[in-house]
Amino acid sequence: MTTACVRKVLPNVKDFKTFWKKQGPFRYALTSKEYPPVLLEPEEWIFGQDKQAVLKELMQFSRMKMFFAPAPFNPDNKNILRPDDICAWKIVHFPEPWNAMICDGFLPEGQLTRAVVDECLRLGLAEDESGIEQAFFSLLERQLDCMGYVWLPPRGNAKTAFIHEYLEEWLKDEEEGGLL
């Protein structure tokens, strides 16, 4: 399975359906439900077969040379005032536009929270770099809606993103807006 993602600006349902037919289908699809979008161009989509690859593409993980690293402090050191909910991990070169984003998994500057460690425990992962990374993306996936993104994963036993309801609503919006 390839982890390459495709970024494409698709301004209307017709463009989306044409693209999906020619390039797809894809297991995951992501776009913004906010305007202006954060980390995306207006009407831009990211498609891929691997959810972590799609989320990394959104964050521009490779381009920004991001990585998970132990935070440069000891969270058990109570001599320094710090929020209780941070953990001893951070994402280096964190996307600056996300510093104002609300998510249970991180604080500004990519400092990860205890929620990521809790997710590690929930998933039975080690609290090492690999485990923290997997837990972060698992938590992030559940937070995308409140962060202003549309996340279309497969449903049930499906092998591709469940796009039907989203496309029906989008088509209805275009009809009501007189775009068709």
Side-chain angles (χ1 to χ4, degrees):
M1 174 177 8
T2 180
T3 57
C5 295
V6 177
R7 292 180 88 112
K8 186 77 174 168
V9 173
L10 302 167
N12 55 52
V13 175
K14 180 182 162 202
D15 294 333
F16 184 100
K17 287 181 177 180
T18 300
F19 174 79
W20 189 265
K21 197 175 220 178
K22 287 182 180 177
Q23 299 280 322
F26 296 93
R27 192 161 173 77
Y28 299 95
L30 178 138
T31 193
S32 179
K33 64 180 178 180
E34 305 290 329
Y35 191 85
V38 178
L39 299 180
L40 291 167
E41 296 297 319
E43 300 165 342
E44 183 178 28
W45 286 81
I46 300 174
F47 300 94
Q49 303 300 354
D50 178 80
K51 67 180 167 187
Q52 188 167 312
V54 171
L55 297 174
K56 281 185 171 185
E57 179 65 29
L58 171 65
M59 293 175 70
Q60 301 170 11
F61 211 83
S62 293
R63 221 167 317 164
M64 300 300 291
K65 296 182 170 73
M66 288 182 217
F67 59 94
F68 290 80
F73 64 87
N74 178 351
D76 297 326
N77 182 352
K78 302 301 179 197
N79 293 328
I80 298 171
L81 187 61
R82 290 190 185 89
D84 290 335
D85 63 342
I86 62 174
C87 75
W89 289 89
K90 69 179 290 179
I91 299 175
V92 177
H93 305 297
F94 190 71
E96 188 175 325
W98 275 12
N99 283 336
M101 193 71 69
I102 305 287
C103 177
D104 291 343
F106 61 80
L107 299 173
E109 304 302 322
Q111 179 62 58
L112 301 184
T113 68
R114 295 281 323 154
V116 176
V117 173
D118 294 344
E119 185 73 0
C120 256
L121 295 172
R122 186 182 79 77
L123 297 172
L125 300 169
E127 285 184 48
D128 58 9
E129 183 178 348
S130 175
I132 292 292
E133 182 173 338
Q134 288 179 54
F136 172 78
F137 285 112
S138 173
L139 184 61
L140 181 62
E141 179 184 11
R142 292 197 312 271
Q143 297 279 305
L144 287 170
D145 184 62
C146 66
M147 293 172 67
Y149 296 100
V150 173
W151 176 245
L152 302 175
R155 269 204 192 155
N157 294 329
K159 297 200 182 313
T160 62
F162 186 72
I163 60 172
H164 310 295
E165 284 179 9
Y166 185 82
L167 292 182
E168 286 173 15
E169 187 176 320
W170 191 2
L171 184 60
K172 184 179 172 187
D173 288 347
E174 285 186 358
E175 287 171 349
E176 289 174 359
L179 299 173
L180 296 177

